[in-house]
Amino acid sequence: MSRKDSVADVCLILEGTYPYVTGGVSSWVHDLIRSQRGLTFHLVTIVPRGAATEPRYTIPDNVAGVTNVVLQQLPRGESPGRWMPGWGRRRFASELDRLLRTIEAPLERLQHGGGLAELEEILGAIAPLRSRLGSAALLDSEQALAMEARLYQRTMPQASFLQHFWGWRSLLGGLYSMLLPPIPRARVYHTICTGYAGVLAARAHLETGRPSLLTEHGIYMNERRVEIAMADWLHDAGAGRLSLENAIGNVRDLWIGMFAGYARACYQSSSRIITLYEGNQPLQKADGADPSRLLVIPNGIEMPQTPPARVPRTGRPPTVALIGRVVPIKDIKTFVRACAQLRRAVPDLRAWIMGPTDEDPEYDRQCRQMVDYLGLADTVIFTGRVKLDDYLPQIDALVLTSISEAQPLVILEAGVYGIPTVATNVGSCAEMILGGAREKPALGEGGAITPLADPGATALALERLLTDADFHARCGRVIRERLRRYYNKTDLDASYARLYRESCAMPEARLGKAS
């Protein structure tokens, strides 16, 4: 949907999330748009080929348009082997060869430490021919194959040419699919990650002169490094050979290097680089972010003046809960083991696992088998999806045994009720539960932090909360006060309103524009 010729206040550039996929980031985007009722938004959503594009959210009225950009999907475009009105075969072939030779060096530099300057050089070369370009010229032509061969000979001739060819073709297909489509007009461009969305945001900044913002929940580049390192569809050319020359420069390096270049380009184009918690900032700086542009705006939650009513402990069992999907990244098995140990000290323990169980059926089956094997069938209960407000009043402690998190919203949701949390030391959990550097004076403990995959430490921390009433009450007061001071959604919405207002008012940047 789109209101033609309109200029949105904010163009949100999204990758694989809102409005077609549910989850924490998508919910954050939805709430962000609704909280800025005085601004108009245009959504640019990057989706894979064949993805469902039925919105999973009711799109707010202040969204003026939605544009889908399909990853790896290019127009066919003109072919250098065909005649075109006004262009002879030789002329287009010559222009295409000149274009590819022009972008060859910046492509290589982008993959080896480059960033925004290289992207601008590539865009400047593409702009005069953009309306004629597509897969026929950029991927399938003799000129494109010749460029690939030159890159191969210069950068990693020890690798398999076949693997190198398909690696570059896939990388270039993704990059070109971000560089060819039209960009909606807006006063400010805001992306929620680096990667392909970061390329599109950097391109928008270069081509329009308007400011761009970046909000990172997790660090996209770190996630891609792990994903690429584990990908079985990428072949290491030197694997199994006792030669250093063959071990370095493999095709995985192409992918990691290019995505690092995308991150640098996005960081360099962003006037503000926002993250949810302080622990992300060293990673951002290591990947090229300017420290003077860094800003922390955490997730927030609406804080009522008085805590919601709780169900008294008398007449019900002491209750702990893990709120999350039953998937390996949440490490449900460590929680189950912790419950087995905790029940020795708290025999009437009740433990809820609250979240969808259908995402990884095999892992769900294994977790249930572990519950039965440990004799916990009467203690550990899988509730499935539930309405949290029906359960939170009965919970004494929240548990997160995850091996990866960004800034878990469930800690905030439990904290509103004064429920302490025991969590692993991932993402912003320690900052939320124990306080960060900005907390002066320090408020104290709002629960406990434990090592990864340590059921004994988790059980001990929960035992103290369930058996030491004074400690439990103190932790509950601390977590609520921390939320009131630093995670109040009203204050955080105002922070984004201020950023948007300042960005929309900025004059157009004096840039060497690519088009």
Side-chain angles (χ1 to χ4, degrees), residues 23-76:
V25 174
S26 293
S27 296
W28 180 91
V29 171
H30 189 65
D31 287 343
L32 174 70
I33 296 169
R34 292 194 303 170
S35 73
Q36 309 297 326
R37 289 291 186 182
L39 298 175
T40 57
F41 289 80
H42 192 111
L43 309 182
V44 173
T45 63
I46 300 170
V47 297
R49 290 180 185 177
T53 53
E54 183 69 27
R56 303 290 296 275
Y57 295 82
T58 301
I59 297 176
D61 293 339
N62 56 331
V63 173
V66 179
T67 298
N68 294 335
V69 175
V70 181
L71 186 63
Q72 298 283 352
Q73 182 169 295
L74 306 181
R76 183 62 185 164

Side-chain angles (χ1 to χ4, degrees), residues 276-515:
L276 302 183
Y277 60 100
E278 296 162 358
N280 271 343
Q281 292 184 329
L283 301 173
Q284 292 175 318
K285 287 187 280 189
D287 281 333
D290 182 346
S292 68
R293 303 182 190 182
L294 299 182
L295 181 66
V296 172
I297 303 180
N299 283 334
I301 196 164
E302 294 179 1
M303 290 296 295
Q305 290 297 314
T306 57
R310 300 281 309 282
V311 176
R313 279 282 296 272
T314 55
R316 66 168 177 83
T319 302
V320 299
L322 185 150
I323 301 174
R325 298 166 295 141
V326 181
V327 292
I329 201 169
K330 299 298 182 181
D331 196 4
I332 307 297
K333 294 178 181 178
T334 287
F335 175 68
V336 173
R337 292 187 182 102
C339 290
Q341 297 186 42
L342 179 60
R343 197 174 63 170
R344 299 169 193 164
V346 186
D348 55 343
L349 174 71
R350 178 173 62 186
W352 285 327
I353 297 174
M354 303 165 61
T357 61
D358 55 357
E359 187 170 323
D360 190 332
E362 174 59 22
Y363 186 75
D364 174 62
R365 185 186 66 80
Q366 292 172 10
C367 292
R368 292 175 188 268
Q369 282 184 336
M370 178 179 286
V371 168
D372 291 339
Y373 177 77
L374 294 174
L376 297 173
D378 295 332
T379 299
V380 176
I381 301 164
F382 292 81
T383 68
R385 297 176 188 267
V386 296
K387 185 178 178 182
L388 286 184
D389 286 342
D390 293 340
Y391 284 78
L392 286 170
Q394 306 174 61
I395 294 171
D396 298 303
L398 179 70
V399 190
L400 289 177
T401 47
S402 306
I403 60 176
S404 179
E405 291 282 359
Q407 191 208 330
L409 183 61
V410 291
I411 295 179
L412 304 182
E413 292 171 323
V416 169
Y417 285 81
I419 300 170
T421 295
V422 173
T424 44
N425 192 12
V426 293
S428 64
C429 292
E431 192 173 311
M432 299 170 75
I433 294 169
L434 305 179
R438 61 181 174 155
E439 186 173 293
K440 297 178 181 178
L443 293 172
E445 301 166 290
I449 293 294
T450 62
L452 291 174
D454 193 333
T458 300
L460 285 173
L462 289 170
E463 179 182 345
R464 185 181 180 193
L465 282 169
L466 295 180
T467 59
D468 186 334
D470 291 340
F471 178 66
H472 184 280
R474 185 165 67 251
C475 288
R477 289 192 299 269
V478 165
I479 196 67
R480 284 203 83 255
E481 180 61 18
R482 184 166 291 128
L483 265 56
R484 188 188 68 79
R485 291 191 192 181
Y486 302 106
Y487 297 92
N488 193 318
K489 190 175 185 299
T490 300
D491 297 336
L492 303 176
D493 290 343
S495 296
Y496 272 103
R498 183 169 57 253
L499 272 177
Y500 284 148
R501 185 170 60 249
E502 293 170 353
S503 298
C504 287
M506 285 182 181
E508 185 173 302
R510 299 298 178 187
L511 299 168
K513 297 195 188 69
S515 65

Side-chain angles (χ1 to χ4, degrees), residues 49 72-80 92 96 100 130 132-145 169 172-173 176-177 180:
R49 290 180 185 177
Q72 298 283 352
Q73 182 169 295
L74 306 181
R76 183 62 185 164
E78 303 286 3
S79 171
F92 185 63
L96 177 61
L100 294 174
R130 181 176 282 145
R132 296 181 179 271
L133 294 175
S135 59
L138 293 173
L139 297 178
D140 299 335
S141 66
E142 292 180 10
Q143 293 82 357
L145 180 60
R169 183 182 175 89
L172 290 174
Y176 293 147
S177 66
L180 296 183

Side-chain angles (χ1 to χ4, degrees), residues 95-106 146-147 150:
E95 292 292 329
L96 177 61
D97 186 63
R98 183 180 297 113
L99 161 64
L100 294 174
R101 287 182 182 274
T102 299
I103 69 174
E104 184 178 319
M147 182 185 77
R150 291 191 298 270

